[in-house]
Every structure is written in structure tokens, then in C-alpha cells.
Amino acid sequence: MAFELPKLEYDYDALEPYIDKETMETHHTKHHQAYTDKFNVALSKHPELEEQSAEGIIKNLREVPEDIYVAVRNHGGGYVNHDFFWKVIGPAKGEEPSGALGEAIEQEFGSLNDFKERFKEQAKTLFGSGWAWLVVDGDDRLIITGMANQNSPLTEGHKPILALDVWEHAYYLKYKNKRPDYIDAWWNVVNWERVGEYYDEALGV
Ligand code: MN3
């Protein structure tokens, strides 16, 4: 059974004015759809892989057959990364990280503002196309990491809890070459409640 383009939990215009409707619609219906289609084409050559979840395939990327490895890394990664991205953003609610996540951010980075500065620096300086990630590592610690293209922290054994797409297609229509402005605006649409849930799940709470 082929993977399907996941539905969004909100409308395309729900993240205005921070992320504009046209960017959201194009990003979801064109870019994410293309990753989905090409992922399925690759998997059709090795249908036995479809018994796993998409995340499972990316987690076990090193076991993917060589003839579709690059296609799965790029398009399977794109499929999974975008599915995750849509879930950690949503209509602005003005909330901040709370509970265990709020405490962990303070412990690891000093304060929410210090965390945001460091995450922004990672996202801003990532060369070319890629993503900035907040992940939980094997020692249950929070790490900020940048990954090129559609590479996934799942493949590194990390558990992602927050992601920012810094491919130009994610911001160029509204922000043109001003990636830092996009990053600043993006904080307004982070769904901290969801990120906190992912943090608890990553710790097995
Ligand atoms: Mn994208």
C-alpha cells in the first residue's frame, strides 16, 4: 500500500501572517506531494519495505536496498520530515514550552531565549537546503542539530521533537532571501504543546 500525502490539521491560511497561504499550499500540495509520489515510486521496486512505517524505513535507512537508497533518503526523508514539520507548527497561540520540556530547555540552554538564539543560529547558517532540528539523543539530552537536504535525525538514532525547514521553498515567496526574518516569524507558529508531547514520548514518560 502506497503512502499518502498527510492532511494538515489546519487551513493553509491559518499561519498568516507568519507563513503565508500561498507558501503553505504550494509547500504541501506540490513539494510534499512530490516527495510522496517519488517515495512511492522507489518503494514499488521493493514492496516488502512498505510493511514498515515511513518513519521506520528512514530510521533503518542503512538497510534499504542500494538501488533505491538515494531515492528513499531524499524522497522518503522529504515525506517524513514534512509530515513531522506540519505537526509541530500551527495557528499562533502565544504559548511557551512548559512542563518537563520547559525545564529541560532551561537546564540545557540557560533560558528559552538562549535556546532560540542558538536554534536560529543553526537554522540561519545552514548552507544550502536543509533543516534545523531539536532532538533528544541517546542520553536523553536535548541537542540542536542541522542536517542537509532531507536527511533525518531518525537515521542517526535521534528522536526529533522540533524541526524547521530552511529550504528556500519554505520561505522565498514571502521572505525572499531573508531567511533570518522567516526564522523570527516562525517562532510564532511553533506548537509547543505538541513539541512537549514529543519530548515526553522521547523520554518514554
Ligand atoms: Mn520543504
Side-chain angles (χ1 to χ4, degrees), residues 27 31-32 35 78 82 85-86 130-131 150 165-167 169-170:
H27 203 169
H31 294 276
H32 198 181
Y35 290 121
H82 286 87
F85 184 52
W86 307 135
W131 295 68
Q150 297 296 351
D165 188 345
V166 292
W167 283 58
H169 69 229

Side-chain angles (χ1 to χ4, degrees), residues 121-131 146-149 166-167 171 179:
E121 193 60 23
Q122 178 65 257
K124 198 178 72 176
T125 56
L126 195 123
F127 182 75
S129 297
W131 295 68
M147 299 195 75
N149 303 316
V166 292
W167 283 58
Y171 62 88
R179 188 192 282 186

Side-chain angles (χ1 to χ4, degrees), residues 38-118:
K38 290 174 184 170
F39 185 31
N40 284 324
V41 168
L43 292 177
S44 67
K45 292 168 190 156
H46 293 276
E48 73 278 4
L49 287 171
E50 290 172 20
E51 286 164 20
Q52 298 177 68
S53 65
E55 288 80 5
I57 293 170
I58 296 306
K59 202 183 276 184
N60 302 315
L61 186 65
R62 290 176 184 91
E63 289 159 31
V64 167
E66 205 182 334
D67 62 319
I68 61 166
Y69 177 85
V70 171
V72 169
R73 186 191 63 200
N74 292 342
H75 304 299
Y79 177 78
V80 167
N81 290 346
H82 286 87
D83 184 30
F84 184 79
F85 184 52
W86 307 135
K87 289 174 181 158
V88 294
I89 56 178
K93 287 189 280 188
E95 60 187 313
E96 291 194 345
S98 58
L101 174 64
E103 287 170 26
I105 285 176
E106 280 190 20
Q107 199 175 6
E108 202 67 50
F109 305 104
S111 71
L112 179 62
N113 275 341
D114 289 324
F115 160 70
K116 284 184 173 178
E117 280 300 312
R118 286 184 46 189

